[in-house]
Amino acid sequence: LAKTTQPISMDSYEGQEVNITCSHNNIATNDYITWYQQFPSQGPRFIIQGYKTKVTNEVASLFIPADRKSSTLSLPRVSLSDTAVYYCLYRGFGNEKLTFGTGTRLTIIP
Amino acid sequence: DVKVTQSSRYLVKRTGEKVFLECVQDMDHENMFWYRQDPGLGLRLIYFSYDVKMKEKGDIPEGYSVSREKKERFSLILESASTNQTSMYLCASSSGGVQGPLEQYFGPGTRLTVT
């Protein structure tokens, strides 16, 4: 059974770099890992996706080790507006099942 | 700009009622999804569709059905609402068919309360 683990919550001060890790023990061989941000009373919003090694866009970086059993979302120089819940999403190996992570509630402290 | 809309933001229904939740996307996406989100349980997939008139069960399809008669519209149906179906319901869409990318676009959600 696919199992996804994320820290339940994290706190960080403004201006710091934040790293959130998702562990996924059963990821499909040839599929992407994606990350989402969700604010209260809104649907999740796509942030970034990657397959392996490192991907960077204008808001975040995504690090994926060679075994692909985990991924780390990196938010550089966070601000108060980054306070949200962050989810990873991937497709499971074999059954192709879409699986969201349990979510990490990130709180940015002024 | 990408847009997924849901018919209601808030809905209150009585136990045993038939409930329709509508979702419309304007991106010509092949895939559409229905999730429910509950505190402590995260997002759970109810049903998804990768083409018109096609549907696949997700993790928790019991008590729900879906309809996709047109590419842009995906409906979630609660045949006989129960209190344990009180939840936030989220619709999403993505391109690319059943093996398509995981970049999903979500609607704002419908908070359903069943009394």
Side-chain angles (χ1 to χ4, degrees):
Chain A
L1 183 67
K3 182 171 170 60
T4 312
T5 304
Q6 293 182 238
I8 294 174
S9 64
M10 297 177 69
D11 295 338
S12 179
Y13 288 99
E14 279 191 290
Q16 292 190 330
E17 178 184 79
V18 171
N19 296 310
I20 305 173
T21 297
C22 173
S23 300
H24 25 78
N25 67 345
N26 191 35
I27 189 170
T29 305
N30 296 312
D31 214 340
Y32 285 84
I33 298 157
T34 53
W35 281 80
Y36 290 80
Q37 176 191 55
Q38 187 178 25
F39 297 114
S41 301
Q42 294 185 24
R45 183 178 71 96
F46 171 82
I47 301 173
I48 195 168
Q49 74 174 9
Y51 178 71
K52 60 180 177 181
T53 62
K54 178 183 175 182
V55 177
T56 298
N57 63 18
E58 63 276 8
V59 298
S61 294
L62 181 59
F63 299 90
I64 303 168
D67 66 6
R68 294 176 17 95
K69 292 191 182 300
S70 67
S71 59
T72 299
L73 174 73
S74 180
L75 303 173
R77 297 180 300 282
V78 293
S79 64
L80 294 176
S81 63
D82 293 316
T83 294
V85 180
Y86 292 83
Y87 293 94
C88 60
L89 170 67
Y90 68 98
R91 208 183 321 260
F93 177 77
N95 61 10
E96 307 290 331
K97 185 176 164 181
L98 285 174
T99 303
F100 268 97
T102 49
T104 298
R105 184 175 300 277
L106 175 65
T107 302
I108 306 304
I109 304 164
Chain B
D1 196 18
V2 160
K3 198 130 176 112
V4 178
T5 56
Q6 295 184 227
S7 49
S8 306
R9 289 302 305 269
Y10 300 94
L11 208 52
V12 180
K13 295 291 182 182
R14 293 195 180 276
T15 300
E17 280 192 81
K18 190 168 186 176
V19 181
F20 292 87
L21 302 182
E22 306 285 343
C23 175
V24 177
Q25 52 96 2
D26 66 358
M27 296 160 285
D28 201 36
H29 282 168
E30 292 84 356
N31 303 329
M32 296 189 75
F33 308 84
W34 275 107
Y35 295 90
R36 65 177 282 177
Q37 185 171 33
D38 301 287
L41 296 176
L43 288 116
R44 293 180 291 168
L45 182 63
I46 305 172
Y47 267 98
F48 65 100
S49 167
Y50 55 87
D51 202 352
V52 176
K53 297 192 185 294
M54 305 296 288
K55 62 184 179 184
E56 295 284 342
K57 292 180 180 179
D59 298 322
I60 50 165
E62 296 79 17
Y64 303 94
S65 61
V66 290
S67 172
R68 193 165 180 204
E69 296 296 319
K70 293 185 177 182
K71 190 175 186 180
E72 68 271 17
R73 188 179 298 269
F74 193 34
S75 302
L76 180 70
I77 304 154
L78 287 67
E79 294 290 342
S80 177
S82 64
T83 54
N84 63 12
Q85 292 179 309
T86 291
S87 186
M88 170 69 85
Y89 289 88
L90 290 157
C91 175
S93 72
S94 73
S95 63
V98 68
Q99 294 294 334
L102 300 184
E103 182 178 349
Q104 299 185 15
Y105 294 86
F106 282 82
T110 295
R111 186 164 294 282
L112 172 68
T113 302
V114 182
T115 61

